[in-house]
């Protein structure tokens, strides 16, 4: 039996992981949005 089979339960907090995932995706989409806004302003 390897070391990972002894304790398969994750000790991470799901709320913290959810906040991290939401934050990273929000930052990613805001970055894309502002890049589009900058390109739009420059193109005028």
């Amino acid at each position: 039996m390897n070391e990972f089979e002894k304790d398969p339960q994750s000790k991470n907090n799901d709320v913290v992981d959810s906040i991290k995932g939401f934050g990273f995706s929000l930052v990613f989409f805001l970055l894309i949005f502002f890049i589009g806004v900058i390109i739009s302003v420059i193109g005028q």
Side-chain angles (χ1 to χ4, degrees):
M1 188 163 87
N2 65 27
E3 60 185 81
F4 299 109
E5 292 175 355
K6 293 177 185 170
D7 190 13
Q9 188 67 33
S10 175
K11 298 291 190 288
N12 292 343
N13 191 344
D14 290 340
V15 175
V16 174
D17 290 339
S18 299
I19 292 171
K20 283 183 194 174
F22 178 76
F24 288 146
S25 59
L26 181 68
V27 168
F28 177 71
F29 287 117
L30 283 175
L31 183 68
I32 291 176
F33 174 76
F34 284 120
I35 288 173
V37 168
I38 291 169
I39 291 173
S40 175
V41 168
I42 291 174
Q44 287 182 349

